[in-house]
Amino acid sequence: MDLQLKGRVAIVTGSGRGIGRAAVTALAQEGVRVVVTDIDEAVAEGTAAELRAQGHEALAVHADVCDEAQVQQLVERAVAAFGKVDILVNNAGFTRDKYLLKMPMADWDAVIDTVLKGAYLCTRAALPTMMAQKWGRVINISSRAHWGNPGQTNYSAAKAGLIGFTRALALEQGKFNITANAIAPGFIETELVRALPTYERLRDAALARNSVPRIGTPQDVAGAILYLASEYGGYITGETIHVSGGRFSG
């Protein structure tokens, strides 16, 4: 199936590893010119180098999505290299889990800023080129945690806020042929997740509650990103797709 993505340009934040890495790989394999960006410069460079070695067009840009100047430079470098930005995947984020009474303000701010402020800054910077060409896709990586998880008030609030951001953006930008959608992954097995001290407990809880009897992979999320980025997803906006194996809450 031709997804009609060849020649498009995508920025994926937090794409040095995990879900972001799977996303830039899947997009590149469809002929998309990708901008790999991560706060970890080495992993961004490594991912981009691997893609180029496979014959794809990939640019690595080190950027902190919470820094307005760095985000603006990220978009400017993408446009300088590839001429435009068609697709933005706001994927950057992380967890700093504690029950609320034990949560330092720094942990609250870090998670909220990266997920929400990062999406705001990156989207605001990318929109002008999308609006000018009257075509764009903004895909925000939320989480099943938007329903609420104990010990994750910061993360759950950020991911729920991202869904509200998505819906409002969809209403604002539809007239420019720009769609905005969210993806809410469930338990996805990444390198960082496998390194968690609670990995086995989290994995077993997911398996017990999933209706699909396996653990999710980054490629599962990348598949949903491809669909929403493609022409086949062009009449879908303001929606949240759960990539969770049938597990929604609990």
Side-chain angles (χ1 to χ4, degrees):
M1 179 183 291
D2 180 8
L3 296 179
Q4 301 177 54
L5 284 169
K6 188 173 182 179
R8 296 291 186 190
V9 177
I11 296 174
V12 181
T13 66
S15 50
R17 56 168 65 92
I19 289 172
R21 180 187 173 97
V24 289
T25 300
L27 287 163
Q29 289 171 347
E30 293 294 327
V32 177
R33 294 169 287 174
V34 296
V35 180
V36 182
T37 182
D38 204 284
I39 199 168
D40 187 328
E41 186 172 8
V43 298
E45 290 286 356
T47 296
E50 286 188 25
L51 292 173
R52 288 193 296 267
Q54 296 166 16
H56 306 302
E57 293 185 75
L59 171 69
V61 179
H62 169 256
D64 178 352
V65 297
C66 298
D67 186 303
E68 183 177 5
Q70 290 186 36
V71 168
Q72 190 62 42
Q73 183 182 56
L74 163 65
V75 173
E76 288 173 358
R77 288 190 61 187
V79 173
F82 299 132
K84 58 178 179 172
V85 176
D86 299 301
I87 301 158
L88 171 66
V89 182
N90 288 308
N91 168 70
F94 53 83
T95 59
R96 287 191 181 173
D97 297 350
K98 289 183 179 68
Y99 281 92
L100 185 64
L101 287 177
K102 297 181 179 179
M103 184 179 292
M105 188 178 295
D107 286 355
W108 175 272
D109 287 346
V111 171
I112 296 291
D113 282 358
T114 301
V115 173
L116 278 180
K117 184 179 179 181
Y120 154 71
L121 288 174
C122 291
T123 306
R124 189 181 66 170
L127 278 178
T129 183
M130 294 182 182
M131 292 168 71
Q133 67 202 17
K134 290 187 167 47
W135 198 98
R137 302 283 191 266
V138 179
I139 301 167
N140 298 314
I141 306 304
S142 180
S143 168
R144 188 200 58 80
H146 76 84
W147 295 108
N149 278 339
Q152 289 192 321
T153 52
N154 51 0
Y155 189 71
S156 293
K159 294 300 190 178
L162 197 57
I163 291 174
F165 173 87
T166 301
R167 289 173 178 164
L169 184 67
L171 293 172
E172 292 181 6
Q173 294 300 318
K175 60 188 175 185
F176 298 104
N177 197 31
I178 297 169
T179 66
N181 290 287
I183 294 172
F187 185 87
I188 303 296
E189 192 167 44
T190 65
E191 294 174 22
L192 293 179
V193 168
R194 283 195 298 270
L196 292 172
T198 55
Y199 163 71
E200 291 187 1
R201 178 175 63 80
L202 294 171
R203 179 201 62 198
D204 292 347
L207 283 171
R209 292 171 174 84
N210 285 4
S211 60
V212 176
R214 67 172 176 86
I215 294 300
T217 69
Q219 289 72 31
D220 290 320
V221 183
I225 291 170
L226 284 180
Y227 173 67
L228 291 174
S230 76
E231 293 296 342
Y232 294 98
Y235 199 54
I236 298 171
T237 194
E239 296 294 340
T240 301
I241 295 178
H242 288 80
V243 182
S244 62
R247 179 187 177 193
F248 295 97
S249 60

